[in-house]
Amino acid sequence: MFDWMVWTTPVAVFFSCIVLMLIGMTVWEIKSPTVMRKGFLPIATTRGDRLFIGLLSAAYVNLAFIGLAGKLAEVLSLSEEPSIWISFVASMVLLAFVMRKG
């Protein structure tokens, strides 16, 4: 079923984190229902809204990094492309920021 997907360690970790976040958010929502609040995002959001926006942002960070990794290696005169773990960490920091301050 998933033969078309390249399951590297970073991809598996990324999707595992998403699954764990969804499970955690479900339990959190059951224990403590969310309230709408306004952060730096231009709309009032719930925890689920911020998770969705954060996950989309994290995906875009990863896609941008993958698309620009070759150019980045060329500009910085690196012998190989930078590790995908850099974008993973950056996307998780962005997700945490959106969840906390969004």
Side-chain angles (χ1 to χ4, degrees):
M1 183 165 128
F2 292 111
D3 293 341
W4 60 271
M5 181 108 182
V6 179
W7 285 100
T8 62
T9 301
V11 171
V13 169
F14 184 76
F15 281 107
S16 298
C17 287
I18 291 173
V19 168
L20 290 173
M21 279 186 278
L22 290 173
I23 291 168
M25 289 291 287
T26 301
V27 170
W28 190 8
E29 185 67 28
I30 290 169
K31 294 285 186 187
S32 169
T34 189
V35 294
M36 300 281 280
R37 72 172 172 90
K38 179 94 168 67
F40 72 87
L41 294 171
I43 56 174
T45 57
T46 64
R47 282 190 298 253
D49 297 334
R50 290 188 301 277
L51 178 65
F52 181 72
I53 292 167
L55 286 174
L56 282 177
S57 302
Y60 288 131
V61 166
N62 279 303
L63 288 173
F65 185 84
I66 290 168
L68 297 173
K71 194 59 101 169
L72 187 61
E74 183 181 311
V75 168
L76 297 176
S77 302
L78 301 173
S79 59
E80 59 185 36
E81 290 184 358
S83 173
I84 195 72
W85 289 107
I86 296 169
S87 71
F88 175 74
V89 170
S91 65
M92 290 299 106
V93 167
L94 176 62
L95 175 61
F97 179 71
V98 169
M99 288 295 295
R100 181 76 181 143
K101 300 289 183 179

